[in-house]
Structures are given as structure tokens and as C-alpha cells.
Amino acid sequence: MFQRIIRACVKLVQKWLPEPFIFAVILTLVAIVIAIPVCHQTPVEVVEHWGNGVWSLLTFAMQMALVLVSGSALAAAPAIKRGISALAAKPKTPAGAIALVTGISAIACWLNWGFGLIVGVIFAKEIAKKLKGVDYRLLIASAYSGFVVWHAGLSGSIPLTLASKESNLEKVTNGALIDPLPITQTILDPHNLIMVVVVIVAIVIVNALMHPKGDNVVCIEPFLLYEEDTKTVEKATTPAEKMENSRVLSWIIALLGFAYLIIHLFFRDGAFDLGAVIMLFLFLGIVLHGTPLAYVRAFGKSVSGAAGIILQFPFYAGIMGIITGVGASGICLGEVISNGCVAISTPKTYPLFTFLCAAILNMFVPSGGGHWAIQAPIMFTAAATLGVDPGLTGMAISWGDAWTNLIQPFWALPALAIAKLDAKDIMGFCIIDLFVTGLIICGGLLIWA
């Protein structure tokens, strides 16, 4: 019965889920069609909101592209290849491989989402090279499924914003919050930690049970996953060639990067954020590839995988512009959705509806910063009125922001680029994870409340 449900979900997604860029275009049109009547905005206003938003995520788009490219280049370093290869040889059965990939990916995503997303899919690819009979689609889906605990982890943007002294909480939350909330009241709250553990255990078990049987297994020929080794100059004769193949230059620039990271993280109380992850990937890659030329070649081979990110980010930024744009009516679509959730809530159900509201918004605005801008002024004010703990409110938004990532192709783009798959190849499995984790999260939030 379970396998029939899985096959039905896979077939449904294969038939109806378009290429991620088409999905972004469809979401854009849906947002436009909804915003005009609901927000009493004119078509001209909505088009202007869309156009003004298109370029609002350029910095973040560049960061995402660099996470993918620098992470892929790092994984191509000989020492990293050997380490991943040794670990990938451990599982002996397809179900064991799926469970291991899921667990490692989820733990890594909880520690840092950028790190976890790249490491999980690279590890999954290596297992596919070594283990016969394992479904490649489910391997990559399992690597991506760990992403569901991202916002409940140490790199969750909303709880980290709540903990920052520079967030101007009083203004952003309309006076509902004055002092920052320490992460002991959000990420490290026992209720949240228990939810994280239960979710990880659940997806490990469910993903292992989802492995197809017999002819339904879709394997990949291992030779398709191997890439040519990066070539190096055998003998440097000219001054230019000697610089290109100088290990000294690699170490000098890498030590500069490591020195900055140490100062930033340990002496300036800086966060291990996306920028820090990119720097770690970048300078470790330079060192482990040995020479500047070897790293340049590895980096260049990884660049093509970032095409989907570069293309789609402006469109999702445009959707965010529609959702947050305020016309002459003084109404924006994000506020309408948030206010609708508030209107039907009680102190007990408020975290649950906040979670569901964030989950809906995440389909159109897959950005923690976008959620903060839309929901913080409304949700924290209502939480204060209802007497709901602000830490719980923040984590309800965070879990909602992460939950529907399981069926939103946007965040899967780096993983899909590395795996060389389409979103429709993995989203059928992710639908099952969506329902299982949704039940756990909803129950957890009700108990917390």
C-alpha cells in the first residue's frame, strides 16, 4: 500500500510539475491574478511592484551561486573526494544508504543550511557510484529532505534576527518586542530541539521505507557520475606558469581568508552565516587543490550548475515584490494572508495558523528575509495581544518557512544542478516527507503552545 502511494505521488509529479523556471513563471502569474482583486490594486501597480522587486535579491542570488560553485569545487579536491568516497562505501543496502544520506544531510542542514545542502547531495552522488541497486532519485530527494530542519537550526534567519541587537525589533514588530530573544528561547528551546530530533528520525525511517522495489528502482550508471580529473601543467617553465602552479600563492591567499574568519567568528562575535560558509568553501578549496590553476579549472567546471539559480532568482524577487507591494489601497497581499491567519486564531491555535500562513507564503516568497518583512509587524503584535510566547511565534514562522521547501523547487536548484536531475525526479518522494513532517510539526507546535 505504501509503495503504491509513493508511485502515485511520483507519477503525479512527473506529469504535472513543470521545469522549475516554468514553475516560477506560473507562480508569478498566480500572484498577479490574486493581488489585483484581493488588494484592490490596478494592473499597473502590480506590474510596478513586480518590476521593482526583480533586482532586490541580487546579493543573495550571488551568494547562492557561490555556495553551489565553491562547494562543488571543494568536493572535487582529491583529499575531499577520498574522504567522501570512504564514507560512501559504508552502507551495504539501498535502505541503509538512504537512511545515512538523510541523517547526514539533516544534521548538516541544522548546523548550516548552505553546508548541508551541498554536502548531502555530493555524498549521495558518491554512494550512487559505489552501491548497486539504489534508487538515484530517492538518494537525491533524501539529501534534500534534510533541508526541512534548516530554519529550526543554527543558521535559521528568523531566530538569528530575533537574537540580534541590530535588528531594530521594536520598530519592526510595532513595539511588540523591545529586547532581543536569545536563541535559548527559540533554536535551543527544548520543545524545538525535540521537534528537530523527531523530524529527523521520522524522515530517516520514511525515506528508507520509500525505496522502490524491483523494476521500479531507477538506478544511474556510475560512469555518468564520474568527471574528468582537473588537468595541471606538468612542468612550469615561464614565470607565468610558475605563478599559476605555485602552492605558496595558494597558501598565502588561503591564510588571509582563514585569518579573517577567525577574527570574524571568535573575536568579533560574527555569525557563521552564508558569507562565512562561502569563504570556508572557497579557501579550503584553494588549499586542497594545491595550486591556483588547479582551483580555477575546478571552479570553472562547476559554474554551469549555477545557471538555474541565476535565471530564476530575479523572478522570485519579482514575486516577492508583488506580495509585499502596497498600492493606493494601502493593502499588500502578504498582510492579507497574515491577517487572515490571525483572525481565526486563539492563543492555543495561533502558533499552528502562523506556521500554516508562513508555509503558504513560502511558496511565493522562499526567503527568510522576505517572511520577516511581511510577517514580523503583524504576527508579533498579534502574539502579544493573545499572550503567545514570542519565541514560539518566531519558530512557528521558521518551521513554516522551511516546511514547504520540500515541494518548492527554488531551494532544490543547487542540489539538482549538482545531481544533474530535474525537480520532477525528486518531488514525488518529497511530497511523502511533506505530509509526515507536517503532522509532526503541527503536533509539536500545539504541544508547545
Side-chain angles (χ1 to χ4, degrees):
M1 179 65 179
F2 186 50
Q3 286 294 327
R4 286 202 296 270
I5 293 173
I6 295 166
R7 289 195 294 271
C9 289
V10 171
K11 289 180 180 178
L12 179 68
V13 170
Q14 286 282 349
K15 183 176 182 179
W16 289 102
L17 182 66
E19 204 276 337
F21 173 65
I22 305 301
F23 188 76
V25 172
I26 292 172
L27 285 178
T28 301
L29 298 177
V30 170
I32 290 172
V33 170
I34 295 174
I36 291 174
V38 171
C39 300
H40 307 293
Q41 295 179 4
T42 67
V44 172
E45 286 178 322
V46 174
V47 170
E48 285 184 326
H49 296 327
W50 174 79
N52 291 335
V54 163
W55 307 120
S56 62
L57 292 177
L58 283 179
T59 299
F60 191 43
M62 185 63 173
Q63 288 177 317
M64 281 291 292
L66 283 173
V67 162
L68 169 60
V69 177
S70 62
S72 299
L74 173 60
I80 298 296
K81 277 185 174 181
R82 289 193 294 270
I84 294 176
S85 179
L87 184 59
K90 299 296 182 184
K92 303 302 180 185
T93 64
I98 296 299
L100 183 61
V101 167
T102 304
I104 287 178
S105 172
I107 293 170
C109 283
W110 189 84
L111 293 172
N112 184 276
W113 72 267
F115 176 73
L117 186 61
I118 300 300
V119 166
V121 71
I122 289 173
F123 181 50
K125 280 184 65 176
E126 195 62 30
I127 286 180
K129 295 177 185 177
K130 297 181 176 300
L131 186 63
K132 293 182 179 179
V134 64
D135 192 289
Y136 185 59
R137 305 164 303 166
L138 181 56
L139 264 179
I140 303 304
S142 299
Y144 181 61
S145 66
F147 207 56
V148 74
V149 299
W150 156 32
H151 273 296
L154 297 179
S155 61
S157 55
I158 290 173
L160 292 181
T161 300
L162 287 169
S164 174
K165 296 178 180 179
E166 301 175 356
S167 300
N168 198 7
L169 292 176
E170 185 173 5
K171 179 180 179 180
V172 175
T173 64
N174 292 326
L177 285 176
I178 298 175
D179 298 318
L181 291 178
I183 61 172
T184 53
Q185 297 181 32
T186 53
I187 298 170
L188 300 182
D189 185 284
H191 295 90
N192 184 64
L193 293 177
I194 291 172
M195 289 170 63
V196 168
V197 171
V198 174
V199 165
I200 292 177
V201 171
I203 60 175
V204 166
I205 294 172
V206 169
N207 287 348
L209 292 175
M210 275 198 289
H211 196 275
K213 310 293 182 184
D215 295 339
N216 294 309
V217 177
V218 177
C219 299
I220 187 169
E221 292 296 335
F223 74 87
L224 296 174
L225 300 176
Y226 285 96
E227 299 176 355
E228 294 182 5
D229 292 332
T230 303
K231 297 179 180 179
T232 57
V233 177
E234 293 184 2
K235 185 178 180 181
T237 56
T238 68
E241 289 174 346
K242 290 178 180 180
M243 286 187 286
E244 290 169 349
N245 290 278
S246 170
R247 292 181 179 272
V248 174
L249 278 179
S250 289
W251 273 102
I252 289 174
I253 191 61
L255 288 174
L256 182 64
F258 294 146
Y260 169 78
L261 280 175
I262 291 170
I263 294 170
H264 173 71
L265 295 174
F266 299 103
F267 296 96
R268 297 290 183 264
D269 295 325
F272 190 60
D273 54 12
L274 194 53
V277 171
I278 293 169
M279 289 192 74
L280 181 63
F281 284 175
L282 179 64
F283 293 112
L284 274 178
I286 290 173
V287 167
L288 293 176
H289 275 282
T291 68
L293 184 59
Y295 187 71
V296 167
R297 287 173 171 167
F299 198 91
K301 288 174 65 176
S302 302
V303 166
S304 61
I309 294 172
I310 296 170
L311 172 62
Q312 293 181 45
F313 253 88
F315 287 87
Y316 278 104
I319 294 171
M320 190 170 76
I322 296 171
I323 299 293
T324 59
V326 179
S329 63
I331 305 172
C332 82
L333 186 54
E335 290 182 356
V336 171
I337 296 172
S338 297
N339 285 327
C341 293
V342 171
I344 59 175
S345 298
T346 66
K348 184 69 176 178
T349 61
Y350 183 72
L352 175 61
F353 285 116
T354 299
F355 160 74
L356 295 174
C357 173
I360 294 169
L361 282 172
N362 185 59
M363 295 300 295
F364 296 91
V365 187
S367 162
H371 278 254
W372 178 255
I374 295 168
Q375 294 192 278
I378 300 168
M379 293 308 192
F380 286 98
T381 302
T385 302
L386 293 170
V388 178
D389 174 42
L392 172 55
T393 301
M395 292 314 299
I397 298 172
S398 297
W399 276 106
D401 192 5
W403 181 50
T404 42
N405 283 334
L406 288 170
I407 55 170
Q408 163 54 275
F410 178 77
W411 288 111
L413 290 175
L416 294 170
I418 294 172
K420 295 180 172 59
L421 289 178
D422 293 326
K424 63 181 66 178
D425 294 319
I426 69 169
M427 287 297 165
F429 300 106
C430 291
I431 289 176
I432 304 297
D433 286 327
L434 181 83
F435 284 113
V436 172
T437 57
L439 290 173
I440 295 170
I441 297 166
C442 289
L445 291 173
L446 288 173
I447 293 171
W448 191 347

